Amino acid sequence: MDFDFSDQQYLFRETFHGFLEQNHDLKKHAALLEGDGFDADLWWGLADLGLFSMLVPEQFGGLGLSFVDMALVLEELGMELVGAPASETIVATDLIVRHGSEKQQARLLPLLAAGKLRVATAIAEPKSGFGDLNIQAQAASNSNGWRLNGHKIMVPHAVMADLIMVAARIGPSQELGLVMLEPQRKGVVLREQSTLDPACRFYAMTLDSVAVDVEDFLGGAVPQPTSLARLLDVSSAVAALQLTGIAGKVLDIAVAYAAQRVQFGKPIGSFQAIKHKCADMAVAIDAARSAAYYGAWAIAEDAVDRVKAVSMAKSFCGDTARQVCNEGIQIHGGMGFTWELGLHWYLRRAKVLEFSHGDAAFHRERVMAATLAELQRQE
Amino acid sequence: MDFDFSDQQYLFRETFHGFLEQNHDLKKHAALLEGDGFDADLWWGLADLGLFSMLVPEQFGGLGLSFVDMALVLEELGMELVGAPASETIVATDLIVRHGSEKQQARLLPLLAAGKLRVATAIAEPKSGFGDLNIQAQAASNSNGWRLNGHKIMVPHAVMADLIMVAARIGPSQELGLVMLEPQRKGVVLREQSTLDPACRFYAMTLDSVAVDVEDFLGGAVPQPTSLARLLDVSSAVAALQLTGIAGKVLDIAVAYAAQRVQFGKPIGSFQAIKHKCADMAVAIDAARSAAYYGAWAIAEDAVDRVKAVSMAKSFCGDTARQVCNEGIQIHGGMGFTWELGLHWYLRRAKVLEFSHGDAAFHRERVMAATLAELQRQE
Amino acid sequence: MDFTYSAENLRFRDELRQWLSDNLPIGWGVTVHEPKDEDERARFRLGWERQLFDGGWSGLDWPTQYGGRGATLIEQAIFSEEMARAGAPDGLNIIGRNLVGPTLMRHGTEAQRQRYLPKILSTDEVWCQGFSEPNAGSDLASINCRAERDGDHFVVNGQKVWTSFAQYSQWCILLVRTDRSLPKHQGISFMLVDMRSPGVTVRPLRQISGESEFNETFFEDVRVPAENIVGELNGGWKIAQTTLAAERGPGDAMARQIRFKRELDDLIVAAATLKRGSTSAIDDPVLRQKIAKSIVEIEIMRLSCLRSLSKLLKGSAPGAAASMLKLYWSHAAQGLYETALETLGFLAPLTDGDSLAPAEGRFQLGFLQSRAFTIYSGSSEIQRNIIAERMLGLPR
Amino acid sequence: MDFTYSAENLRFRDELRQWLSDNLPIGWGVTVHEPKDEDERARFRLGWERQLFDGGWSGLDWPTQYGGRGATLIEQAIFSEEMARAGAPDGLNIIGRNLVGPTLMRHGTEAQRQRYLPKILSTDEVWCQGFSEPNAGSDLASINCRAERDGDHFVVNGQKVWTSFAQYSQWCILLVRTDRSLPKHQGISFMLVDMRSPGVTVRPLRQISGESEFNETFFEDVRVPAENIVGELNGGWKIAQTTLAAERGPGDAMARQIRFKRELDDLIVAAATLKRGSTSAIDDPVLRQKIAKSIVEIEIMRLSCLRSLSKLLKGSAPGAAASMLKLYWSHAAQGLYETALETLGFLAPLTDGDSLAPAEGRFQLGFLQSRAFTIYSGSSEIQRNIIAERMLGLPR
């Protein structure tokens, strides 16, 4: 048993940390609000460092690492507000490695490893709520082959994606699965959506009788009834790590500010009101790390307690990021709510992540159900 | 419009405050754990001050005052941990004034005004939960007259009560109503229960085919279908005032302690950690007062928003007392959790009141339902 | 204690209802909303405020000699209720009505009152507040902006920050240092500055909500007539306390409560509409708890305002009680917006401009704005110090 | 990172399970529970601890030369899990095992270690801790209890408070002032005192829970051999830091986590049984949220202990990290007991001794006990100071 990262894993984080520190900051982040919102330099820089090859098995040109190896890196990405399509591409990679057909793996994984395939995921629908219960999008076959119909929302960076992984009910059994298609296909209409964090670049996607093929189904001809559940869990685990990264960053910024901002002749960080807030934030973040890292392990191992571990992480890290972003702004006083200082970028991203892939209440209910099932098994 | 008390009402409070300060303290309170738990001197002292005659109309020898006149007095009683049977007798008086038959009023109100009738209320049952939904106790008539059957729990001071007001379903319609009977009646068995606040003196009461008469039903032959709802609301409003009193008292004690306890060469009250806790407690208590006083007004006027007002008060004052009792102990450090200092008496009473007549979640749900009904009416 | 409405009260209410239905734009709150553009919105609000004034509904609690209505407390309460009910817009000259008015009524000369007060209500003159500086936030008494005597004028130099509505204002209440040799609380004066004076520069500060209600304001050799000092020279700190108490007091809070109540009603409507599969958000017991908590907290805000006003009417002094009210509502309102986003749930990330954004994204905007509640008008930390020291008597 | 169990781990687990099923009283946790009487309970716990020792399960992480098992981290984790699963009772000599052990291993002489450590695990000697005094609580360094040199002995005079288990203890780790002329942190020594010495008086202090785990302890001319000083004379403050870090650290927390996990499991069972009319408490979505929150928080407590232990094994220093852990669990556990009472709902006021009290009133007792969590072992306020200053580097 060991609940720590290896030296190698810490080194990996350092590498990404150094790169991001040199190549990314809030100014660059804000600039992404213009244009297509995609930072190609950053993408290729991250690709060069191996980000997209980490989860790809060696036989497909990847590093053959596990989700545990990604944990600290994803926390770093969260910290620097690097989100989709990088994080979603990583999520999709995991899915293809676990559930792709041999043919799909051979075709897609080498491209992914090289950073040449950007993937977005499309799960939510206008009336779906959290989770997969109410997904209506549907792939049905008739004499002309398979057709995909449905409405998806909040598909990040959809226009820039090479491939979109769409959650849908497949065939007469209505079994939930994932369909991969290019946004350029006929019948796909994208419309950009206004979002609390405009850097997220969400799109609504209408699928109007889009022609698909069995090879577009993740797993090909072999149904993958557990793939959507895994997609949701991996996405939640990634969000938990990103939320933890954001919280850690905001605490660092707040502590630095409190140490130098003088009022009443003293740095405000010497007042207990500020000091104790910071201490509570630090404690919450440390606990969030325990949860997020364990979630990453459960994903890596596809552990029996995967659902519970992921939901623990998502709920706790979401609550923590909320607390820390709010308090971080409070500590900055008036400066905290200026656009210029940019703390709001962390707040916005944290809020979007908090309400993506299930909020804290949704995940707590999953924890409860999983725990009851556990106790029943023990009896 | 005036949301303040009159000089007369403040004076009334002062009178009770002075009396309680001289005649009651934690030492006396602790001594009540011995014996039958009834402080006759205190009872008669309060009776002499007019406590039990306040709500009784003048024609029955009372002062003919309203529930608003009682508000500050009940807060004082809460503060000094004077609970049942005094508070329950006051609740019962309100019920008899509003719902008693002429005969019942003529018989009972003069006794109540003189302090000569102690009343307990019996609502909860082993599996009832909060509210009146699952009450099973039942009065049914056959050729031999009416018989009352059922199990009640947490009947305070039942053995000392002259009269117990029992919530039960009456007759073939199963309509909920209140039955008044002496604990000495045949078929009534009382068993003392262990309670978090032993001063509450709760009893379980078994009613085994107890002979009752139409004159024992509150309202006599005229059914009073709204009486139990009022009983629950008045009880909740009283609890909210008592909880506010407790919170106010604990804050006073904590502030006094913080001002004199020295650590690190300074009174601990000069540290922001303590100071800000006290400020938050003060703010919560002030808000609780707004809610509790308005609840009292709504009871006095039987206002259209009575249910909402009472539930607002009970939920908010319960939460406040919880916060303040917890923090009050925290501020006292090690001293706070000694038996001797006695802060636990406030904590215990507040906890019992918090979970009597509906907890915060129960009352918040009632607020929600009432608000939706209000909005619908407005449309 | 009395919450009942007399026949006269009901007449007042009906009159107001009638006036609102005659004066609010047709379709208000349903098809017609405030302009999105900030400048347009400011003009809209000022226009609405003028309408209120013309209708005799502005300065409800002000004495009639300064253009007010001299209304009773119950009329003020009815006014709040009806404005909330109608979802009426805010005004623009909030600082003028809520802060400058009470301050001049208490500390101004009769000449100052007659000169300035009526034009506040008539919306002819909008006011802003120049108190905070980059290095004097929580520690307000350490302000640096200075005014030096030059004949019958003062010459002002320095910088203020968070001057809300400065871009729309003709006048400013300004705290300046007039004597550096005195201890910091004793060398401060309170003056009225014409924002159109040469040397005044306003630079909008964009906030996290994307709006620019706040500004940085620079004063460079701005000449202010000596008669524009309020109260005693170097006696400004005490006067500023009146302004701050008004800023934190029940008048201000009552107006805000209207807004929060309106938001809450809209939230409940939104929750009834929002489908999650086959059920509505409003049927989720967990959400109901959170919404109910906000209902209770916002309703208590109204009750506490009424309690506070009732006491003020009987002559009790404002002060630390105002800090209690401000600390209470700022956190209650932040809770309301957190709950609002939770109610939107998976749609919370969608904002104004998107057809799927519930309630046109107003809750997200409200959420962002709400982050400032616990910071402006004295941060929660400052309010807690005031309450603990001045009200509870804890040692400094 | 590795949470998988090897075949060897599974053997260890099965061996422990077998041992527990052989050694726990028949019907344990179902029909058989700990004695209610405090003294009997202390004897019961000491007996159980002795059984654990005899079975080779005490001092799991202690070196074998002092009677421990020298177990790996994963074995410790398995141990915790299995003890929770079996609902095994606590031991009594907690201070000996968790505080005195680590302190002597780090600062004691080899002679001291050999003399004291084995008897801790064997339960032959129970320990208590004499740190706090009536006027030295949060400000521990201001202790007054003094020890004066007299030949090859020290003579101790003074009073300690909150000395848990003193009434059952043979030995005490005592902080004393040995030099008044030095600054307050520098004149303190750390000594081992035989509680059976003449002049030691223990007076039980009843707590809000009604129990008397804590005591006041008085020292009147108590003679302590000079060799019983640990470390340097006047160097006791530094040594006390080791004790405090151990008190707040993952070893202590891990043992507590077992208890909280057991309580949580029992709570869920109780919630499934508790009927409110036709439904069970466990089906109430609002309660489920609260219970789930506690599940998450208590599970994270275990994870954080493991993370902390993993780092300690790699040689990272304890210290402020221990304060983080203690601050975390103390509040999480208080939340658990609040939730427990909410789960009991209208039955929450009924306690042990009443046939209708759910789970025999244990949650009410736990709730009362939990109020002390954020006070003892350094209050939350002290932990926050430590974290902010030592870990985050904020100015004093």
Side-chain angles (χ1 to χ4, degrees), chain D residues 323-340:
Chain D
S323 289
M324 300 239 288
L325 203 51
K326 200 268 165 164
L327 189 55
Y328 175 81
W329 75 249
S330 56
H331 290 270
Q334 286 185 341
L336 161 64
Y337 286 105
E338 297 276 5
T339 294

Side-chain angles (χ1 to χ4, degrees), chain A residues 125 127 129-130 134 153-154 191 193-196 261 263-264 277 322 326 330 333-334 337 339 348 351, chain C residues 134-135 137-139 162 206-208 214 277 338 342 346 349 351-352 354 356 367 371 374-375 381:
Chain A
E125 300 179 4
K127 293 188 174 178
F130 295 124
N134 303 304
I153 56 172
M154 296 190 272
R191 172 178 70 74
Q193 301 191 282
S194 300
T195 36
L196 191 53
R261 166 75 173 172
Q263 288 284 275
F264 305 102
K277 250 193 235 304
R322 178 196 285 209
N326 286 349
Q330 182 70 20
F337 60 92
W339 183 274
R348 287 167 188 274
K351 264 286 173 267
Chain C
N135 289 313
S138 286
D139 184 11
W162 325 128
R206 201 166 173 206
Q207 295 148 243
I208 63 175
F214 303 125
E338 298 277 4
E342 288 180 51
F346 80 116
T351 48
D352 188 24
D354 194 87
L356 291 170
F367 164 74
R371 297 324 314 166
T374 50
I375 296 174
E381 289 72 27

Side-chain angles (χ1 to χ4, degrees), chain A residues 124-130 134 153-154 191-197 202 204 261-265 273-274 277 322 325-327 329-340 343-344 347-348 351-352 354-356 359 361 364, chain C residues 133-140 142 162 184 203 205-210 214 275-278 286 290 334 338-339 341-342 345-356 364 367-368 371-372 374-376 379-382 384:
Chain A
E125 300 179 4
K127 293 188 174 178
S128 64
F130 295 124
N134 303 304
I153 56 172
M154 296 190 272
R191 172 178 70 74
E192 190 162 359
Q193 301 191 282
S194 300
T195 36
L196 191 53
D197 179 1
F202 281 154
R261 166 75 173 172
V262 173
Q263 288 284 275
F264 305 102
I274 303 296
K277 250 193 235 304
R322 178 196 285 209
C325 288
N326 286 349
E327 296 287 28
I329 288 173
Q330 182 70 20
I331 288 169
H332 279 78
M335 286 305 295
F337 60 92
T338 58
W339 183 274
E340 246 173 278
L343 277 178
H344 63 104
L347 179 74
R348 287 167 188 274
K351 264 286 173 267
V352 168
E354 185 185 345
F355 290 107
S356 297
D359 66 0
R364 274 195 290 267
Chain C
E133 298 178 8
N135 289 313
S138 286
D139 184 11
L140 182 60
S142 69
W162 325 128
K184 68 178 182 176
R203 196 173 78 88
L205 264 178
R206 201 166 173 206
Q207 295 148 243
I208 63 175
S209 61
F214 303 125
K275 290 271 177 264
R276 277 121 195 233
S278 55
V286 176
K290 292 176 184 172
Q334 286 185 343
E338 298 277 4
T339 293
L341 296 198
E342 288 180 51
F346 80 116
L347 293 176
L350 296 182
T351 48
D352 188 24
D354 194 87
S355 55
L356 291 170
Q364 289 87 341
F367 164 74
L368 291 170
R371 297 324 314 166
T374 50
I375 296 174
Y376 61 44
S379 71
S380 295
E381 289 72 27
I382 291 297
R384 290 189 186 105

Side-chain angles (χ1 to χ4, degrees), chain C residues 48-265:
Chain C
W48 169 246
E49 202 165 352
R50 176 78 200 192
Q51 266 180 284
L52 278 171
F53 172 73
D54 290 340
W57 301 107
S58 195
L60 224 63
D61 58 330
W62 284 30
T64 47
Q65 78 230 60
Y66 305 125
R69 190 178 174 117
T72 63
L73 177 54
I74 190 162
E75 287 168 344
Q76 294 172 49
I78 291 171
F79 182 79
S80 304
E81 221 163 76
E82 293 303 316
M83 296 296 273
R85 207 183 141 91
D90 291 319
L92 181 72
N93 199 5
I94 297 168
I95 291 173
R97 275 183 290 120
N98 292 356
L99 308 193
V100 182
T103 306
L104 289 185
M105 282 188 233
R106 177 133 179 227
H107 301 283
T109 62
E110 189 51 40
Q112 286 170 335
R113 290 183 203 148
Q114 287 184 9
R115 158 67 188 82
Y116 296 107
L117 295 181
K119 283 182 194 289
I120 289 174
L121 293 188
S122 70
T123 72
D124 289 321
E125 290 176 352
V126 174
W127 287 72
C128 65
Q129 175 187 18
F131 279 28
S132 296
E133 298 178 8
N135 289 313
S138 286
D139 184 11
L140 182 60
S142 69
I143 53 159
N144 249 321
C145 181
R146 64 190 190 281
E148 276 152 358
R149 186 90 195 202
D150 181 22
D152 56 357
H153 278 72
F154 281 87
V155 180
V156 177
N157 279 285
Q159 180 192 351
K160 293 290 173 177
V161 74
W162 325 128
T163 39
S164 309
F165 310 117
Q167 65 272 55
Y168 309 117
S169 297
Q170 286 78 48
W171 285 89
C172 177
I173 44 174
L174 193 70
L175 278 193
V176 289
R177 187 156 301 284
T178 36
D179 192 336
R180 289 182 182 280
S181 67
L182 295 171
K184 68 178 182 176
H185 292 85
Q186 290 164 36
I188 293 171
S189 297
F190 190 108
M191 53 167 56
L192 312 174
V193 178
D194 189 332
M195 291 292 282
R196 292 152 297 191
S197 313
V200 176
T201 318
V202 174
R203 196 173 78 88
L205 264 178
R206 201 166 173 206
Q207 295 148 243
I208 63 175
S209 61
E211 301 162 305
S212 300
E213 181 185 305
F214 303 125
N215 300 274
E216 292 180 290
T217 305
F218 300 88
F219 298 85
E220 205 185 330
D221 290 333
V222 176
R223 296 184 66 82
V224 179
E227 72 217 40
N228 285 13
I229 296 273
V230 178
E232 311 247 311
L233 186 69
N234 295 327
W237 183 249
K238 209 190 70 198
I239 298 168
Q241 296 312 304
T242 298
T243 315
L244 292 175
E247 190 173 7
R248 298 162 187 170
D252 177 78
M254 197 85 162
R256 292 176 186 274
Q257 201 271 343
I258 300 175
R259 194 156 63 246
F260 299 145
K261 175 74 164 56
R262 195 168 67 213
E263 295 275 77
L264 200 44
D265 287 350

Side-chain angles (χ1 to χ4, degrees), chain A residues 39-243:
Chain A
D39 184 342
D41 289 346
L42 188 72
W43 178 274
W44 290 114
L46 292 168
D48 286 349
L49 290 178
L51 179 66
F52 303 110
S53 64
M54 289 175 76
L55 289 180
V56 175
E58 292 178 47
Q59 79 225 62
F60 299 112
L63 296 173
L65 297 174
S66 88
F67 205 83
V68 170
D69 299 292
M70 302 245 43
L72 294 173
V73 175
L74 285 164
E75 193 182 352
E76 282 296 323
L77 296 185
M79 204 172 265
E80 299 302 327
L81 302 175
V82 181
S87 56
E88 302 239 323
T89 298
I90 292 165
V91 170
T93 305
D94 174 277
L95 266 291
I96 293 166
V97 169
R98 302 253 171 186
H99 290 283
S101 67
E102 273 180 43
K103 215 163 132 192
Q104 287 166 340
Q105 294 190 342
R107 179 163 59 91
L108 300 173
L109 291 176
L111 290 172
L112 282 165
K116 288 181 184 159
L117 202 67
R118 294 192 294 268
V119 191
T121 57
I123 303 160
E125 300 179 4
K127 293 188 174 178
S128 64
F130 295 124
D132 60 15
L133 227 53
N134 303 304
I135 287 178
Q136 305 284 333
Q138 189 146 344
S141 67
N142 61 20
S143 53
N144 290 327
W146 290 88
R147 298 284 168 172
L148 181 59
N149 281 286
H151 293 275
K152 293 288 170 182
I153 56 172
M154 296 190 272
V155 185
H157 291 273
V159 290
M160 301 292 311
D162 300 304
L163 211 58
I164 301 182
M165 207 175 243
V166 181
R169 300 187 177 275
I170 298 176
S173 70
Q174 302 275 310
E175 192 112 60
L176 284 164
L178 295 165
V179 186
M180 297 179 292
L181 46 83
E182 307 76 30
Q184 294 79 13
R185 275 200 211 178
K186 187 149 177 286
V188 175
V189 179
L190 297 176
R191 172 178 70 74
E192 190 162 359
Q193 301 191 282
S194 300
T195 36
L196 191 53
D197 179 1
C200 284
R201 297 281 173 152
F202 281 154
Y203 289 82
M205 178 168 74
T206 309
L207 300 155
D208 184 7
S209 203
V210 179
V212 291
D213 188 81
V214 170
E215 254 319 293
D216 294 327
F217 300 154
L218 185 67
V222 184
Q224 300 288 318
T226 61
S227 61
L228 177 57
R230 184 162 176 98
L231 175 62
L232 290 169
D233 281 356
V234 179
S235 300
S236 294
V238 169
L241 288 160
Q242 289 176 302
L243 284 161

